Amino acid sequence: MVLIYIDQADQQIKKSTQEALSYGAAIAKQLGTTAEALLLGNVSDNLTALGNYGVTKVHHINNVQLNTFDAKVNATVVAHAVKKLNATVVVFAHNINGKALAPAVAVKLEAGIVTGASSLPDTTNGFVVTKTVFSGKAFAAIQIETPIKVISLNQNSFGIHAQETTAIVEILDIPVPAPSIKITSVDKIVGEIPLTEATLVVSGGRGLKGPENWGILLDLAKSLGASTACSRPVSDADWRPHHEHVGQTGIQIAPNLYIAIGISGAIQHLAGVNRSKTIVVINKDPEAPFFKAADYGVVGDAFEIVPALTAAILKSKASA
Amino acid sequence: MKILVCISKTPDTTAKIAFVEGNTKFDENGVQWIINPYDEWYSLVKAIELKEKDPTTIIHLVTVGGADTEPIIRKALALGGDEAIRVNSISNDSFSVAASIAQVAKEGAYDLIFTGKETIDYNSSCIGSMVSAMLDLPFVSLATHLELNGTTATLKREIEGGEETCEAILPIVVSCQKGMAEQRIPNMRGIMAARTKPLKVIEPTSIAATTTIKTFELPLAKTGVKLIDADKMDELVKLLKEEAKVI
Ligand SMILES: Cc1cc2nc3c(=O)[nH]c(=O)nc-3n(C[C@H](O)[C@H](O)[C@H](O)COP(=O)(O)OP(=O)(O)OC[C@H]3O[C@@H](n4cnc5c(N)ncnc54)[C@H](O)[C@@H]3O)c2cc1C
Ligand SMILES: Nc1ncnc2c1ncn2[C@@H]1O[C@H](COP(=O)(O)O)[C@@H](O)[C@H]1O
């Protein structure tokens, strides 16, 4: 059986879970087995509807302590559940909690793990998972040698596959150890889609000259319903908040659309965004290295192009 | 206070990525090696900052690797740290690397174990989580801030779309990222001092690898950028809608 971990925050299932469920279900199909899901804590979502993503059962450990994330506690509980349910493949989203949890679960199960998987495993001869390495500049095919396999899936790399089916929900009784950390506060930017979950991203670099010029970028993002990002010098100079910094040392993202405005396209920047499906580059320098990594490019002054692009988007939306 | 800082060696961020021997090995030809930026900029400097506040603090560095990691570990010692331990093992298997670090950590009885967020070559982000499980310690991942008050640590960690503040009683394992500390450059005195700091080499307890890298592959090159005139933004929108189908 393939068991998929449901990640939640604020008692809501994260979007990345839908993709992990779809991926786990596809692995199960490939192996001729079933896909089931594991939920720790309580959520407001309808659990039977998770069947839409291909799982037949949702195992629910409904202990309120598990509503908040504690890597040590969650790893103990998940590993216990995997053993109790006899799962042979365990799938996580390679998101913030998945990164903290999956390797610890692998240790407790003495299982081999591949983090950041980019496609379905090859199970024709052994169990080989392909993942991105060198910050998106290459792939590695890695064989897992152990009886139990743990995989975490890179976000936005498999897609969400849904159809109308329902899952059975079963309560699972697993002892929950005492908390190992105490969460004292949570500070979230309200109303914004977290960058790692965004499908559309508009990003600005030093070419925008100063924080006072970000209005045109924000207008473009608003017209698309996109999240905003920036290059490292921009966040280092405090023109934009640090959580917007993408790249090798910042956040790595893989949206469907990445629009880079006034960003030169240094290799360390590309490392954070080169898995984006479509890249649009707006830069006044036709020699800017970013154009080599782009699908669409506009050479010219961002201060003229960006408002024109926003207007074109609004016009196209109005006529749709 | 005793701190263990995990140091890994990675290719320079601008290194050309290529593979040899039928795409089974990373081509090290001409590659410059550096301390993994997260280890150098954030976890090591954070440990140094804690030692500056409390000079009785002892900092040990650990690396799992062959003799070729020694220049890297000397460079780390030049930034700070009292002594280094190299576990003489070459492995790409996170499980084995973590087991070697856990072995060192157990013996040293550290209050804090720092790792970087991930290595910039294999991007596993496994070691911190694994070491915490092997030692049965709390794990705070992707930390951006840490303060100590006796044996209580107050940390901030990244969550989707924000930050969470938590408290934990030492000993704990922490993976560090941007925000934790400010990057530093080693000075001449540090470089001189590093030459005589102890660098101990120990052998790993043998552990079977749980994973093996079969092959590497480079992504397909982009077919080439389509340039759109600056005064034809309607056309760009049309392409994004109808060709790329992303909006
Ligand atoms: C170890 C290491 C890690 C790093 N990690 C990161 C990282 O995670 N993320 C990151 O972003 N960087 C990172 N960097 C820094 C990186 O190397 C670059 O310095 C940085 O990305 C450059 O930012 P930029 O493109 O905004 O600025 P610049 O390189 O200054 O580029 C500005 C661009 O704007 C264009 N421009 C100027 N005016 C206009 C205009 N009016 N209209 C349109 N275009 C205009 C210019 O032609 C130029 O291409 C790292 C560096 C190192 C050494
Ligand atoms: N060979 C190694 N020796 C010592 N520390 C390591 C090694 N590999 C990884 N680490 C540490 O673990 C962190 C995460 O690495 P990884 O899990 O491999 O992405 C790194 O930033 C280092 O702090």
Side-chain angles (χ1 to χ4, degrees):
Chain A
M1 186 259 283
V2 177
L3 189 67
I4 301 112
Y5 175 80
I6 299 175
D7 194 25
Q8 59 137 318
D10 308 325
Q11 293 174 46
Q12 277 182 324
I13 295 177
K14 289 185 199 159
K15 200 188 107 204
S16 49
T17 295
Q18 297 169 2
E19 191 181 18
L21 290 169
S22 305
Y23 178 74
I27 297 176
K29 199 168 165 202
Q30 200 172 305
L31 295 173
T33 179
T34 57
E36 302 178 10
L38 178 67
L39 172 66
L40 277 59
N42 301 294
V43 293
S44 54
D45 306 67
N46 172 8
L47 295 181
T48 56
L50 293 178
N52 291 347
Y53 308 106
V55 288
T56 53
K57 245 184 221 173
V58 178
H59 301 278
H60 185 193
I61 309 172
N62 64 348
N63 182 317
V64 288
Q65 186 196 320
L66 298 172
N67 289 357
T68 52
F69 184 82
D70 179 326
K72 180 170 183 245
V73 169
N74 285 40
T76 307
V77 170
V78 172
H80 194 154
V82 171
K83 283 186 195 156
K84 194 163 175 177
L85 299 169
N86 275 319
T88 52
V89 179
V90 191
V91 173
F92 296 84
H94 193 51
N95 63 1
I96 291 169
N97 288 347
K99 287 175 188 178
L101 188 55
V105 169
V107 164
K108 289 175 188 290
L109 298 170
E110 297 185 10
I113 178 172
V114 173
T115 54
S118 55
S119 55
L120 284 172
D122 178 354
T123 51
T124 49
N125 181 12
F127 198 101
V128 179
V129 189
T130 297
K131 69 162 289 182
T132 49
V133 288
F134 295 99
S135 309
K137 283 174 260 175
F139 296 101
I142 301 179
Q143 163 110 12
I144 304 184
E145 316 274 5
T146 51
I148 301 179
K149 280 98 180 158
V150 179
I151 308 175
S152 68
L153 173 71
N154 253 347
Q155 286 178 265
N156 282 335
S157 58
F158 186 71
I160 295 167
H161 305 266
Q163 74 208 54
E164 285 282 309
T165 358
T166 54
I168 305 166
V169 181
E170 273 180 12
I171 299 294
L172 183 65
D173 198 15
I174 301 275
V176 178
S180 76
I181 58 166
K182 189 170 105 198
I183 295 165
T184 51
S185 68
V186 175
D187 194 3
K188 261 195 176 174
I189 311 114
V190 281
E192 250 179 66
I193 307 165
L195 254 186
T196 47
E197 302 215 339
T199 49
L200 306 173
V201 175
V202 176
S203 185
R206 209 147 50 178
L208 282 173
K209 309 283 188 292
E212 66 281 5
N213 297 328
W214 240 258
I216 53 168
L217 187 150
L218 298 178
D219 286 344
L220 172 60
K222 205 166 147 214
S223 75
L224 285 165
S227 296
T228 50
C230 68
S231 68
R232 193 176 106 192
V234 165
S235 74
D236 280 353
D238 282 330
W239 295 359
R240 295 297 298 166
H242 282 273
H243 66 257
E244 284 196 359
H245 158 201
V246 292
Q248 188 132 52
T249 43
I251 299 174
Q252 286 90 43
I253 55 172
N256 288 336
L257 175 64
Y258 184 74
I259 304 183
I261 303 165
I263 304 176
S264 58
I267 197 156
Q268 297 92 355
H269 184 86
L270 294 180
V273 302
N274 58 9
R275 290 192 298 109
S276 309
K277 230 167 247 151
T278 300
I279 295 179
V280 176
V281 169
I282 300 171
N283 197 305
K284 70 171 184 192
D285 173 11
E287 301 295 320
F290 220 145
F291 284 115
K292 288 204 183 71
D295 300 282
Y296 303 103
V298 189
V299 179
D301 184 359
F303 294 96
E304 285 161 22
I305 294 165
V306 174
L309 177 57
T310 307
I313 287 162
L314 292 174
K315 194 172 96 190
S316 135
K317 286 214 163 150
S319 68
Chain B
M1 178 74 41
K2 271 186 89 179
I3 309 175
L4 183 66
V5 181
C6 299
I7 300 287
S8 51
K9 159 184 161 255
T10 51
D12 173 39
T13 55
T14 57
K16 183 173 167 351
I17 307 302
F19 303 98
V20 290
E21 294 179 29
N23 279 340
T24 58
K25 268 214 172 88
F26 174 59
D27 184 0
E28 301 194 354
N29 206 347
V31 169
Q32 290 257 22
W33 297 93
I34 59 167
I35 308 171
N36 188 41
Y38 295 104
D39 307 351
E40 176 184 345
W41 301 357
Y42 309 123
S43 46
L44 178 56
V45 177
K46 184 67 200 185
I48 296 167
E49 284 177 4
L50 291 171
K51 190 180 168 92
E52 285 166 352
K53 273 198 194 136
D54 171 7
T56 63
T57 301
I58 295 167
I59 302 174
H60 287 178
L61 315 183
V62 62
T63 193
V64 182
D68 59 345
T69 54
E70 293 201 354
I72 293 303
I73 204 105
R74 286 280 173 217
K75 193 181 160 210
L77 282 170
L79 278 159
D82 300 297
E83 64 174 76
I85 302 143
R86 175 170 73 83
V87 185
N88 188 30
S89 154
I90 300 167
S91 175
N92 281 323
D93 179 44
S94 299
F95 206 116
S96 317
V97 173
S100 290
I101 293 171
Q103 175 195 339
V104 170
K106 255 183 214 150
E107 273 171 31
Y110 298 95
D111 302 290
L112 279 167
I113 299 168
F114 284 161
T115 75
K117 159 177 157 168
E118 63 181 47
T119 56
I120 62 167
D121 47 7
Y122 293 101
N123 311 122
S124 308
S125 60
C126 278
I127 301 298
S129 173
M130 286 185 160
V131 169
S132 76
M134 288 169 180
L135 300 172
D136 202 29
L137 293 179
F139 177 48
V140 180
S141 69
L142 302 178
T144 55
H145 182 87
L146 179 151
E147 238 167 81
L148 290 179
N149 187 351
T151 56
T152 305
T154 303
L155 300 114
K156 285 192 169 103
R157 78 163 189 124
E158 184 192 340
I159 55 172
E160 270 94 8
E163 246 177 9
E164 193 172 80
T165 308
C166 69
E167 283 174 9
I169 308 290
L170 304 184
I172 55 172
V173 180
V174 180
S175 79
C176 306
Q177 65 161 335
K178 186 175 154 176
M180 255 322 222
E182 286 293 328
Q183 182 183 1
R184 290 189 185 182
I185 295 164
N187 56 30
M188 210 50 211
R189 217 177 90 222
I191 294 167
M192 297 305 286
R195 291 192 184 156
T196 53
K197 285 181 183 171
L199 195 169
K200 218 163 57 187
V201 180
I202 61 170
E203 291 303 318
T205 45
S206 80
I207 165 158
T210 58
T211 56
T212 322
I213 298 182
K214 290 283 170 197
T215 51
F216 292 99
E217 201 185 314
L218 292 170
L220 295 172
K222 290 256 176 191
T223 44
V225 57
K226 212 175 240 183
L227 290 177
I228 291 107
D229 285 344
D231 55 0
K232 296 220 175 90
M233 285 306 101
D234 287 333
E235 191 187 324
L236 177 59
V237 172
K238 195 168 165 219
L239 286 166
L240 292 176
K241 259 186 149 167
E242 291 167 15
E243 189 178 72
K245 299 193 175 66
V246 287
I247 60 171

